[in-house]
Amino acid sequence: MSSSDTQQHRARAQDRLSEALAQGSLADVRRILLKMEPADVAHLLASTPPRHRQVLWQMIEGELESEVLNELNPELRLEFLSGMEPSDLAQLAATLDDDDVADILQQLPDRVTFEVLDAMDQQDRSRLEQVMFYADDTAGGLMNTDTITIRADLTLDVVLRYLRRHEEIPEMTDNLIVVSRDDRYVGLLPLRTLLVSDPSHSVREMMETRQAPIPVEMPDDEVARQFERNDWVSAPVVDENGRLVGRITIDDVVDVIREDADHSLMSMAGMSEEEDTFAPILKTARRRTVWLAINLVTAITAASVINAFQGTIEKVVALAVLMPIVASMGGIAGTQTLTVLVRAIALGHIHQKNQLWLVQREAMVGLINGVIWAAVVAVAASLVFDDWMLGGVLAAAMVINLITAGVSGALLPLALERLRIDPALAGGVILTTVTDVVGFLAFLGLATAVYGT
Amino acid sequence: MSSSDTQQHRARAQDRLSEALAQGSLADVRRILLKMEPADVAHLLASTPPRHRQVLWQMIEGELESEVLNELNPELRLEFLSGMEPSDLAQLAATLDDDDVADILQQLPDRVTFEVLDAMDQQDRSRLEQVMFYADDTAGGLMNTDTITIRADLTLDVVLRYLRRHEEIPEMTDNLIVVSRDDRYVGLLPLRTLLVSDPSHSVREMMETRQAPIPVEMPDDEVARQFERNDWVSAPVVDENGRLVGRITIDDVVDVIREDADHSLMSMAGMSEEEDTFAPILKTARRRTVWLAINLVTAITAASVINAFQGTIEKVVALAVLMPIVASMGGIAGTQTLTVLVRAIALGHIHQKNQLWLVQREAMVGLINGVIWAAVVAVAASLVFDDWMLGGVLAAAMVINLITAGVSGALLPLALERLRIDPALAGGVILTTVTDVVGFLAFLGLATAVYGT
C-alpha cells in the first residue's frame, strides 16, 4: 500500500460527488453525502468552489448539519451560519461544544446573539454565558464545562461506582478532577491510575497534584505550548480564586496550534489564517488589494530613491541593469532572518537576555554572506561591463545591504512585538522597504560619488 | 492576571539562570536546573546562545538528561547526542519512547547505530528494530509498541481484573485494542465505555468498530489529518495483513502538525523547520548561503533582461525609475497566490477537479487588482514625468504581470507537487523569476515598441 485506503476512499467519494454535481443528479449527491463522516463533509465543503458549495450545503440537514459545522473552518462556518434563523441557530447550539458555540456567537451581530440566547433553554444559556464571558483567544474561550469532579476523601471503589451511574463519560476524559468542598482545584485522578489501583485506596492517596491548573485568563498560544510541552490530553481551568471553571481538551488545542502556525505563514503574505481557499473572485480580490496597496507604497518609495539618481543612471546605464540585484539579495537575506525571528517569537524562544546575541549573529551572517556573494557578483559584473570601478561599487553596496538586511530582519520583529504589532504581518513590508531603499541608495549613491553626476 | 503565572515563573527562572551563568556561579545554575521541569529545561536550551548552551548541557545528568532529550527539537537533540558514547546512548535509549529512539538512531552514522543496538538488551533491541523498519515520516515511524490488547470474547469484568494486574497503563491510553487470536485488529474498547458499562457485558458487545485502523505505511501528514479530523487521542496501527503492530498517540501527532506547519513557513524562506534559532554564526551563514546563491541566479536572470534594453533606458531614464514597481507588485501578488496554494496543498484541499477553478479565479483576481493599481500608478507616473505614453506602458505592463503572477502562483505549486518537488521550497524562487522576467520584459519591451531604441 503506497498511500492510505482511507485517503483513496475519500478521493473516490469526492470524485463521485463531483460527477453527480456536474450531472445535476441531486439524489445521488444526497445519497453519497449521507454516507460520509461529518469531518469528511466539512473537508469536502472547504475544497469545493463557491457555486457547488452552496448546493452541497443546502442538502445537509439535521444532525449532520451541526456535526459538519463543528468541523468547518471558522470563516466558512460563519458564512453558512449568517444565513440561518436565530431559532435554528439556538437549536444547533445545543448540539455543539460550548467553546465552539461561544466562538460563533461572538462573531455574529449582537442582535442575533441575543435572539439566539433568548431562544435557548435556561441551562444551555447560563453554561454558554460563562464561556462567552472570556475572550476566545484565552483559556476561558477554549474550555468546555463538561468536567467530572470528585472529592479527595472518597475511596476509589466509591469513585468507580459513581462513574458507573453515568450514562457516559465525556470524550477526551483522561483524568477525573479532584476538587474541594468549595470547588477549588485540588488535583487529578487519571483513569489510568483508577484502573490499576487497589480500590480500597482513597483518592487523596492516588491523585496527582504536580500538574498546575490553567488560569482562565492564560492566552491560547501559551495554553498550546503547555499542552505540547507536557503531553496533556486535557487540563483543568481555574478562575483567579482557584475554583474549577472548566477543562481544555487536546482537540481544541490542536486547532490553536494549527491556526498559530498558519497565522505566521499567511500573515507574511498579508492574509489571514482563516482565509477560505475557495473564496469567490470578488471577495478574494478585495482582500488582496489592501496588501497590494501597502506594498505599492514600498515600491514607490524605492522608485523615488532611484528617481533622485536619474543623472547618474543616464551616464552609466549599467547601473539600471545591476541595481535590482542589490535590492533583491537584500530582500532575500532579510526575509530569512525575519522568518527565523517570527517563528522563534511564536515558539516563545525570545526573551530580554538573548535578543542582542541574535542581532549580532545576524549582522555577522550578513557580513559573511555579503562578502562572499558581493565578490562573485562584482567580478562577473566587472567582466561583463569591462569596468572594475562598477564592480567595486556593486560589491560595497551588496555588503552594506546584506548587513542591513540581517540587522533589520532581526530588530524589526523584536520592535514590532514590543509595540504589539504582529511581526509576521508588518515585518515583511517594512523590511522590504528598508532593503530596497538602502540597496538603491547605497548602490546609486556610491556610483554617483565615483562617476559624478 | 494579565499573563500566566507559569510563564512568569519560567521567565524568572530563566533570568536567574542567565545571571548565575553570567557570574559563573555554576553551583547556582545546577541548583536552579534541577528544580525545573524537563520540558522547561529543553525550552531553555533551545533559547540559549551556543556558548552558554554547552555549559548548561554539561550540568544535566542522569534521568533528567534523557527526559530533556525527549523534549528537545530534533536538530538540537542530534547535536547533543553526537557527542555521546554508544554505551551511554544505549542506556539512554531504554528510557525514551521507541519512535524517538528510532528517529535518533536513523540520524546517527550507521556504525554508531549498530554499536548502540548491540549494547541494548534483546527485548529493547527487537522492539526498536520493528519501529526502525519503517520510514520516520510514516505511521510506522510514529508508532509505539506499548499497546494493551484484549480479546473480544472476554467480559468487561475480566478485562477490569486483567488491567488491575498491570503495574501501570501506558500514558495516552484512551482505548484498549481488541484483537483476534492471530493478532488481527478487531476494534476498540474505550476506557470511557469500560468504566460506565455493566461488567457482565462482553467486549464484543461494547467495543467500537467504526474507527478504521491506520495502515503502517500511511504518510505522517495524512495520519495527522486523520487525528485532527476525528479528534483521536490514540489510534491503532496495522500492517498489510491487518495485524496490529503498534499505536500512535496524539502527542507525537501534535509534533507532526507543528513541524508540517513550520515546514511551509520556513521552506518559503529556504530554510528547514528544524532550524535551531540560536545556531552559531558559521553554521547559520553556511546554511543561508545556498538560498542566496539560488536567488542570485534569479536576480541575474532579471538583470540580463534589463540589459537587453539598455538603449531604451538610455533614451527614457524614467523607465529605470519605474521598472522595479512593475516587478515588485507582480512578486507580491504572486506570493499571495502561492501561499494560499501551499497551505491548501498541505491541508489536502486540492484535487483534480477543483484545480482549474482556482487557476481561473487567480487569473481574474490578478486582472481586477492589476487594472485597479495599474490605473492609480499610471496616472501618478504620467503626472510626475509629464508623459502619458509612459503611464500607458506602465499600466499595460502591470496588468500583464499581475495576471501572470496569479496564474503562475497557482500553476507552479500544482505542477511542483505533481513532480514531487516541495512547492513551499521551490515555488517562491521560480515565481519571483517569472514575475521579474515578465515584469521587466513587458515594461521595457512595450516601452521599446513605443519609444524605439
Side-chain angles (χ1 to χ4, degrees):
Chain A
M1 257 179 312
S2 71
S3 178
S4 92
D5 281 355
T6 335
Q7 205 173 6
Q8 282 171 15
H9 176 78
R10 215 164 46 225
R12 271 200 306 273
Q14 253 167 10
D15 284 352
R16 272 184 292 134
L17 254 182
S18 308
E19 269 171 48
L21 273 170
Q23 295 170 3
S25 52
L26 297 187
D28 285 351
V29 174
R30 193 187 303 266
R31 199 172 39 77
I32 300 169
L33 270 181
L34 287 178
K35 271 195 246 161
M36 291 171 73
E37 295 281 323
D40 290 336
V41 177
H43 186 260
L44 179 72
L45 285 168
S47 41
T48 303
R51 198 164 44 91
H52 282 168
R53 190 186 266 171
Q54 285 304 331
V55 177
L56 284 176
W57 177 243
Q58 276 153 27
M59 308 190 85
I60 300 166
E61 283 164 0
E63 202 185 336
L64 184 61
E65 188 176 43
S66 67
E67 285 171 359
V68 169
L69 278 171
N70 204 6
E71 304 285 343
L72 273 181
N73 89 40
E75 179 173 328
L76 256 188
R77 183 160 60 192
L78 188 63
E79 188 186 314
F80 289 140
L81 286 169
S82 315
M84 289 173 71
E85 291 295 316
S87 60
D88 291 340
L89 279 173
Q91 247 187 323
L92 246 176
T95 67
L96 293 174
D97 282 351
D98 295 342
D99 58 332
D100 292 323
V101 178
D103 277 4
I104 292 170
L105 290 182
Q106 278 158 348
Q107 288 176 309
L108 293 174
D110 279 353
R111 188 186 46 76
V112 182
T113 304
F114 291 133
E115 283 184 57
V116 173
L117 285 172
D118 268 353
M120 283 181 163
D121 72 34
Q122 176 60 39
Q123 203 190 344
D124 283 350
R125 180 164 57 231
S126 67
R127 231 184 39 231
L128 199 62
E129 282 170 346
Q130 205 180 341
V131 177
M132 284 183 62
F133 181 74
Y134 303 104
D136 70 344
D137 59 352
T138 63
L142 269 183
M143 73 184 180
N144 283 305
T145 50
D146 58 352
T147 52
I148 298 193
T149 56
I150 53 175
R151 294 283 163 73
D153 51 11
L154 302 178
T155 62
L156 299 191
D157 196 40
V158 174
V159 172
L160 283 166
R161 274 185 283 134
Y162 168 70
L163 286 181
R164 197 139 290 143
R165 289 214 306 271
H166 284 70
E167 274 284 303
E168 63 169 11
I169 298 178
E171 284 190 49
M172 308 260 161
T173 298
D174 57 336
N175 300 308
L176 305 177
I177 305 179
V178 188
V179 292
S180 68
R181 198 167 294 273
D182 57 349
D183 244 12
R184 276 169 213 276
Y185 170 79
V186 176
L188 295 173
L189 181 69
L191 297 186
R192 299 164 50 221
T193 308
L194 179 62
L195 284 164
V196 299
S197 308
D198 181 342
S200 65
H201 284 308
S202 73
V203 170
R204 193 180 310 283
E205 288 172 281
M206 303 311 297
M207 72 183 179
E208 286 183 10
T209 52
R210 241 171 88 101
Q211 177 172 338
I214 292 185
V216 74
E217 303 281 0
M218 185 185 276
D220 61 356
D221 54 347
E222 175 61 19
V223 172
R225 279 199 285 267
Q226 298 253 348
F227 266 80
E228 271 191 270
R229 243 180 247 175
N230 300 297
D231 293 345
W232 291 336
V233 170
S234 74
V237 179
V238 295
D239 66 13
E240 59 274 31
N241 301 313
R243 282 206 182 73
L244 183 75
V245 288
R247 68 179 187 122
I248 295 176
T249 51
I250 182 75
D251 52 328
D252 294 321
V253 172
V254 165
D255 293 342
V256 172
I257 292 172
R258 167 74 77 189
E259 277 165 28
D260 278 1
D262 272 1
H263 173 80
S264 302
L265 175 71
M266 297 295 279
S267 295
M268 287 191 77
M271 293 175 291
S272 150
E273 66 275 18
E274 294 184 358
E275 176 108 3
D276 166 15
T277 308
F278 290 89
I281 295 175
L282 285 179
K283 200 173 183 181
T284 308
R286 201 168 54 234
R287 282 195 187 157
R288 305 245 182 107
T289 208
V290 179
W291 192 242
L292 288 169
I294 294 171
N295 279 279
L296 186 56
V297 175
T298 294
I300 290 177
T301 310
S304 49
V305 173
I306 304 172
N307 195 38
F309 295 98
Q310 280 203 39
T312 316
I313 295 174
E314 233 160 9
K315 211 162 158 186
V316 189
V317 183
L319 294 174
V321 175
L322 297 173
M323 66 188 190
I325 297 181
V326 180
S328 110
M329 291 295 276
I332 294 290
T335 304
Q336 288 202 307
T337 306
L338 179 70
T339 306
V340 169
L341 267 284
V342 163
R343 191 187 62 148
I345 290 172
L347 292 177
H349 277 176
I350 308 288
H351 51 86
Q352 205 68 43
K353 306 256 171 177
N354 59 15
Q355 296 184 358
L356 185 63
W357 187 88
L358 267 183
V359 177
Q360 287 170 338
R361 184 195 63 187
E362 291 302 328
M364 285 303 296
V365 170
L367 174 66
I368 294 172
N369 280 331
V371 168
I372 294 174
W373 294 112
V376 172
V377 178
V379 170
S382 302
L383 293 174
V384 169
F385 293 100
D386 194 19
D387 178 351
W388 288 88
M389 201 100 96
L390 185 65
V393 169
L394 181 60
M398 268 186 73
V399 173
I400 292 172
N401 208 22
L402 261 75
I403 295 175
T404 307
V407 172
S408 54
L411 281 181
L412 251 176
L414 297 174
L416 289 171
E417 174 77 1
R418 196 162 302 176
L419 297 170
R420 293 175 184 280
I421 300 171
D422 181 5
L425 185 64
V429 186
I430 306 181
L431 180 77
T432 317
T433 311
V434 172
T435 52
D436 276 4
V437 167
V438 171
F440 290 135
L441 207 57
F443 185 51
L444 299 176
L446 286 172
T448 307
V450 169
Y451 296 101
T453 34
Chain B
M1 255 176 316
S2 72
S3 180
S4 91
D5 281 357
T6 336
Q7 205 173 7
Q8 283 171 14
H9 176 80
R10 215 163 48 223
R12 272 199 305 274
Q14 252 167 9
D15 284 351
R16 273 184 291 133
L17 254 181
S18 307
E19 268 170 49
L21 274 170
Q23 296 169 3
S25 53
L26 297 187
D28 284 349
V29 173
R30 192 187 303 268
R31 199 173 39 78
I32 301 169
L33 270 181
L34 287 179
K35 271 195 244 159
M36 290 171 73
E37 294 281 322
D40 291 335
V41 177
H43 186 260
L44 178 73
L45 285 168
S47 40
T48 303
R51 198 163 45 91
H52 282 169
R53 190 186 265 170
Q54 285 305 330
V55 177
L56 284 176
W57 177 242
Q58 276 154 27
M59 310 189 85
I60 300 166
E61 284 165 0
E63 202 185 336
L64 184 61
E65 188 175 42
S66 67
E67 284 172 359
V68 169
L69 278 171
N70 204 6
E71 304 285 343
L72 273 181
N73 91 40
E75 179 173 329
L76 256 188
R77 183 159 63 192
L78 188 63
E79 189 186 312
F80 290 140
L81 286 168
S82 315
M84 289 173 71
E85 291 295 316
S87 60
D88 291 339
L89 280 174
Q91 247 187 322
L92 246 177
T95 67
L96 293 174
D97 281 350
D98 295 341
D99 57 332
D100 292 323
V101 178
D103 277 4
I104 291 170
L105 290 182
Q106 277 159 348
Q107 288 177 308
L108 293 174
D110 278 354
R111 187 186 46 76
V112 182
T113 305
F114 291 133
E115 282 184 58
V116 173
L117 285 172
D118 267 353
M120 283 182 163
D121 73 33
Q122 176 60 40
Q123 202 189 345
D124 283 351
R125 180 164 58 230
S126 68
R127 230 184 40 230
L128 199 62
E129 281 170 346
Q130 205 180 340
V131 178
M132 284 183 63
F133 181 74
Y134 303 104
D136 71 345
D137 59 352
T138 63
L142 269 184
M143 73 183 180
N144 284 303
T145 51
D146 58 353
T147 52
I148 299 193
T149 57
I150 53 176
R151 293 283 164 73
D153 50 10
L154 302 178
T155 62
L156 299 190
D157 195 41
V158 174
V159 172
L160 283 166
R161 274 184 283 134
Y162 167 72
L163 285 181
R164 198 140 288 142
R165 289 215 306 273
H166 284 70
E167 274 283 306
E168 64 169 11
I169 298 178
E171 283 189 50
M172 306 260 161
T173 298
D174 58 336
N175 299 309
L176 305 177
I177 305 178
V178 188
V179 293
S180 68
R181 200 167 294 271
D182 56 351
D183 243 12
R184 275 168 215 276
Y185 170 77
V186 176
L188 296 172
L189 181 68
L191 297 187
R192 298 164 50 222
T193 309
L194 178 61
L195 283 164
V196 298
S197 307
D198 181 342
S200 65
H201 284 308
S202 74
V203 170
R204 192 180 311 281
E205 287 172 281
M206 304 311 298
M207 72 184 179
E208 285 184 11
T209 53
R210 241 171 88 102
Q211 177 172 339
I214 292 185
V216 73
E217 303 282 1
M218 185 185 277
D220 61 356
D221 54 348
E222 175 61 17
V223 172
R225 278 200 285 268
Q226 297 254 348
F227 266 79
E228 270 191 271
R229 243 181 248 175
N230 300 297
D231 293 346
W232 290 336
V233 170
S234 73
V237 180
V238 295
D239 67 13
E240 59 273 31
N241 301 314
R243 282 203 182 75
L244 183 74
V245 288
R247 68 178 187 123
I248 294 176
T249 51
I250 182 74
D251 52 327
D252 293 321
V253 172
V254 166
D255 293 342
V256 172
I257 292 172
R258 167 74 77 191
E259 277 164 27
D260 277 2
D262 273 0
H263 174 80
S264 301
L265 175 71
M266 296 296 278
S267 295
M268 288 191 76
M271 294 175 291
S272 150
E273 65 275 17
E274 294 183 359
E275 176 108 4
D276 165 15
T277 307
F278 290 89
I281 294 175
L282 285 178
K283 201 173 182 181
T284 308
R286 199 169 55 234
R287 281 196 186 157
R288 304 245 182 108
T289 209
V290 179
W291 192 243
L292 287 169
I294 294 171
N295 279 281
L296 186 57
V297 176
T298 293
I300 290 176
T301 310
S304 50
V305 172
I306 304 171
N307 196 38
F309 294 99
Q310 280 203 38
T312 314
I313 295 174
E314 234 160 8
K315 212 163 156 188
V316 189
V317 183
L319 293 174
V321 175
L322 297 173
M323 67 187 189
I325 298 180
V326 180
S328 113
M329 291 295 275
I332 295 290
T335 304
Q336 288 202 308
T337 306
L338 178 70
T339 306
V340 169
L341 268 284
V342 163
R343 192 186 63 147
I345 290 173
L347 293 177
H349 277 175
I350 307 289
H351 51 86
Q352 204 68 43
K353 307 256 170 176
N354 59 16
Q355 296 183 357
L356 185 63
W357 187 88
L358 267 183
V359 176
Q360 287 170 337
R361 183 194 63 186
E362 292 301 328
M364 285 302 297
V365 170
L367 175 65
I368 294 172
N369 280 330
V371 168
I372 293 174
W373 294 113
V376 172
V377 178
V379 169
S382 302
L383 292 174
V384 169
F385 294 101
D386 193 21
D387 179 350
W388 288 89
M389 200 99 98
L390 184 66
V393 168
L394 180 61
M398 268 185 73
V399 173
I400 292 173
N401 208 22
L402 260 74
I403 296 175
T404 307
V407 172
S408 54
L411 280 181
L412 251 176
L414 297 174
L416 290 171
E417 174 77 2
R418 196 162 302 175
L419 297 170
R420 293 174 186 278
I421 300 171
D422 181 4
L425 185 64
V429 186
I430 306 181
L431 180 76
T432 317
T433 312
V434 172
T435 52
D436 276 4
V437 167
V438 171
F440 291 135
L441 206 57
F443 185 50
L444 299 176
L446 285 172
T448 307
V450 169
Y451 297 101
T453 33

